[in-house]
Structure formats: structure tokens, C-alpha cells
Amino acid sequence: MYISIKSAVKRYGEKTVLHGINLEIERGQFVALLGPSGCGKTTLLNALSGLVDLDDGEIVIDDRVLSSKGFTVPPEKRNVGMVFQDFALWPHMNVYDNVAFGLRVRKDARAAIRERVHEVLKVVRMNGFEDHFPHQLSGGQKQRIAIARALAPSPKVLLLDEPLSSLDAKLREEMRWELLSIISQANITAVYVTHDQIEALSMADQIVLLNQGQIEQQGSPTDLYKRPKTEFAAWFLGASNRFEGTVVDRHDDLVKINCGDVVLSARSREADSTHLVAMIRSSDIEVLDPSDTMSSDVAGTFFTALVQQRAFHGVNWQYRLELDGPLHLRCEAASVKAYERGAHVCLFIPTESCHVVPKSSISR
């Protein structure tokens, strides 16, 4: 395995930030470390870079031990590139000097530096900007220069700490495509920290979801999105509606869960559990007029609800709904028709859209 993290522990005083992390990354993979603030993802990235020591465990890259208890190879000797959240460009240096900085520290020959700087600037499509200073660049251009600087010394691994978070929404979307293209062209192993599920789902080969310093779940983007294993994983990847109940009927993996005011049809592999939680994305709930009907061969659950609030999101409406009991939920519907506050609507939840997981005590 190209990157191997074994039983990594990091403490700050009485607080343990990483609880025995075990992670393996293959050469050439794009891995996203995903999770909320304070989950340990940036600490893990900094441990990979050598900016943070481990209190226990070890980090091995390409068969070389870089971190273990009481031992840390410094960042400049790891051959690892780092792109920071704020880009961290030297304001008094022009683009050429910023990109050449690591090569000069390494004492490369002047001709070799010149050739490599022009090569990486071409990769990030910033050739011709050599004499510009950071204050003369846009946010997207600064990001490309930060990536070029990280790539210039030909690192084995590229580490990126929320590099899109300071960009506006439209530029952030454009730069996702740019980043994927740049990293693919560089043919490099990349570890990318983000709290944005869309970034992780759309960019990564593998997602590592962290929660309170532990790995909650890891796998491909489709795996985590379609098959969350825990309540936290389902919630963080967009299943904002939570129904807790008891299994009242089971046939193979098809179960019916009594949630008080509604009995949900779902699929569950939790064969030994009688008390489960169903997590449902707002986009998976279909909103219908009470008079509408659906094909009887569509498996799922129908029930009625009252529209409490609504918000227009362009391509759809988002609704907050109240069921006949104390249950509340959110859903989205195409903007072709809008339901007024106070209206009664019929909701349909397909069986396949109910993500059933064990009840968890882990905070969200």
C-alpha cells in the first residue's frame, strides 16, 4: 500500500483528536477526508505533512516510515506537497518566485528551476503570469499558483486543506473541474480535506468520513451515498429526515417499521435488530396532490402532511412539513407547482430510499 496509517493517535492536552486511525491509500488515488469541523480531518492531514507529531501509531509513505511515537520526519524532507486553505502565497514574490521557492530551497540548478516552473505553470494554465504578484490575481488564479508551487518539487503526495472554501459558489464549482484535471494530469496521489459533501462525492475515488476523531465509514462515493452504515453517515451525506421505530414485519431484507404515526417500508440488512432508525433524503420524498395516484407496482409508503414552511430554490421548492403526530420532515419538489403554507399534501417515500441503520448514541 502506498500510504499506510496505522493506529494513529494525536492528543492536545486532555483532548484526544485522533483515536487510533487506520487508513490505507493506493498509489494514484484521490482520497477525500470528509467530516464536520472538529472531527480530526485537518489534524490527520497535518500529521501526513509532518506539521503535527503523532502520540502513537505510525505513518508510512512508499515503504518509508515518516511518523511514529517520538519520531517525525520534518515536512521539507517528506517530498509531500501542501495546498493551504488560504493559499499562503508570498505577497512580496511574483508568481515565478512563488512557484520556484521550494526548488530554490532544495538548491536545484537555475536552468532546472526555470524549466520546471514553466512546466507546472503550463499544467495549471497560468503560463504568461510569471511577473504578476498575488494581489494582481483572482481567487481562482491564486489557487492555481498555490497548486503549481506544491507540484513544482514533484512530490509523491499532494495534500489539500479545503482549498476551495474561500472561493465564491460559482468559482468553487468551476475549480472542482480544474482541480480534477490538474491532479489527473500530474498523475499524483492526492489527499483532500473538506466538509463539503458535494466536493467529496464529485471529486474523490475514495471518501473517508470522520466523526469525533474516528473513521465512521469509508468507501467509494456511490457506496457512502447509497449505503450509509450509520446514523451519522446517513445524516452527514444528506439524509436529513430521521424516523425512529420498531420492526413490525420482516420478509428477507424487506421490513416495515412502526414509527408511531407512520409505518415505513424499507430494506434492512440489520437482521438481528428490532429497533431501527430510517434516514431519508429530502430529495427522495415525492410530493403529490391528495388526489394524485401512483402505480401500484411502486414499493413505498404513502402518508399525508401539512405544509408549514416553504422556500424557493430555483429548480425546486423546499418544504418543511408536519405529519399528523409530532413528526416533522423536510422535502424538495420540482418548481412546476408550488404548495401554499397550510396546504395538505400526499407524500410518497420509495422503499429503496429508506436508509435503515442501527440507532446510534454518537452525536451529530
Side-chain angles (χ1 to χ4, degrees):
M1 196 58 61
Y2 194 61
I3 300 177
S4 179
I5 302 171
K6 299 177 182 177
S7 304
V9 175
K10 180 60 187 176
R11 304 182 190 91
Y12 291 106
E14 298 293 318
K15 184 176 175 61
T16 302
V17 181
L18 299 178
H19 295 264
I21 296 291
N22 290 290
L23 178 62
E24 294 189 336
I25 299 172
E26 295 179 9
R27 186 190 300 270
Q29 269 194 330
F30 189 125
V31 174
L33 303 180
L34 176 66
S37 297
C39 71
K41 56 188 186 295
T42 296
T43 300
L44 183 56
L45 194 81
N46 287 338
L48 278 166
S49 72
L51 294 172
V52 164
D53 300 332
L54 290 182
D55 293 302
D56 211 342
E58 69 173 17
I59 295 174
V60 178
I61 298 181
D62 199 17
D63 296 326
R64 181 188 176 203
V65 177
L66 298 181
S67 294
S68 60
K69 186 175 181 179
F71 171 76
T72 304
V73 174
E76 66 273 14
K77 295 183 178 180
R78 291 192 171 216
N79 198 15
V80 168
M82 185 85 170
V83 179
F84 296 94
Q85 186 174 343
D86 60 357
F87 312 136
L89 298 177
W90 299 105
H92 62 288
M93 294 184 184
N94 62 19
V95 165
Y96 183 94
D97 291 335
N98 263 285
V99 176
F101 183 79
L103 302 172
R104 286 173 174 157
V105 169
R106 200 168 64 182
K107 301 188 185 310
D108 285 10
R110 184 175 299 178
I113 291 175
R114 184 166 56 251
E115 181 180 352
R116 181 58 179 162
V117 169
H118 289 311
E119 183 180 323
V120 293
L121 286 177
K122 186 176 180 180
V123 168
V124 300
R125 298 208 296 273
M126 286 295 288
N127 42 321
F129 285 80
E130 288 84 352
D131 294 330
H132 286 63
F133 284 82
H135 72 271
Q136 298 174 303
L137 304 175
S138 68
Q141 289 171 332
K142 288 178 184 177
Q143 190 211 47
R144 292 184 196 184
I145 298 306
I147 294 168
R149 182 179 62 183
L151 291 175
S154 301
K156 292 182 177 180
V157 179
L158 182 64
L159 308 177
L160 304 104
D161 186 9
E162 303 204 50
L164 305 182
S165 62
S166 62
L167 306 179
D168 63 68
K170 183 172 177 56
L171 182 56
R172 193 159 60 240
E173 183 177 357
E174 292 175 2
M175 290 308 298
R176 284 204 296 265
W177 294 101
E178 292 286 345
L179 255 179
L180 279 174
S181 176
I182 291 166
I183 290 171
S184 176
Q185 189 174 344
N187 193 27
I188 192 171
T189 306
V191 182
Y192 184 102
V193 160
T194 182
H195 64 273
D196 187 326
Q197 56 160 297
I198 300 300
E199 282 183 16
L201 290 169
S202 61
M203 297 176 70
D205 301 314
Q206 292 283 308
I207 295 175
V208 179
L209 179 61
L210 293 164
N211 182 24
Q212 297 184 2
Q214 301 179 67
I215 295 178
E216 187 82 9
Q217 187 174 343
Q218 64 185 93
S220 69
T222 52
D223 223 26
L224 265 71
Y225 190 82
K226 293 183 177 180
R227 290 173 288 277
K229 294 180 179 178
T230 68
E231 190 175 334
F232 176 84
W235 169 78
F236 199 82
L237 288 161
S240 57
N241 295 299
R242 180 184 187 276
F243 291 85
E244 183 179 337
T246 304
V247 175
V248 292
D249 188 30
R250 185 188 297 274
H251 181 70
D252 294 330
D253 66 342
L254 183 65
V255 296
K256 293 200 178 289
I257 306 171
N258 187 343
C259 302
D261 293 285
V262 61
V263 177
L264 287 175
S265 172
R267 295 200 179 275
S268 171
R269 295 181 178 85
E270 300 293 330
D272 298 329
S273 298
T274 56
H275 199 78
L276 297 171
V277 171
M279 304 290 290
I280 304 159
R281 293 187 177 87
S282 58
S283 57
D284 288 335
I285 301 175
E286 298 183 42
V287 185
L288 310 163
D289 281 324
S291 59
D292 289 344
T293 58
M294 289 194 66
S295 172
S296 58
D297 62 356
V298 179
T301 307
F302 285 96
F303 50 93
T304 58
L306 179 72
V307 176
Q308 283 189 320
Q309 293 177 298
R310 65 177 192 170
F312 184 55
H313 287 192
V315 296
N316 58 38
W317 284 90
Q318 186 175 91
Y319 296 99
R320 291 197 173 193
L321 304 152
E322 180 181 350
L323 278 61
D324 292 334
L327 292 173
H328 296 76
L329 70 158
R330 300 177 183 180
C331 71
E332 296 173 11
S335 59
V336 177
K337 181 172 183 178
Y339 295 95
E340 300 289 340
R341 286 185 290 271
H344 283 86
V345 294
C346 182
L347 304 179
F348 177 72
I349 302 177
T351 297
E352 304 298 332
S353 297
C354 282
H355 302 286
V356 178
V357 294
K359 184 180 178 182
S360 173
S361 60
I362 296 177
S363 63
R364 302 199 301 260

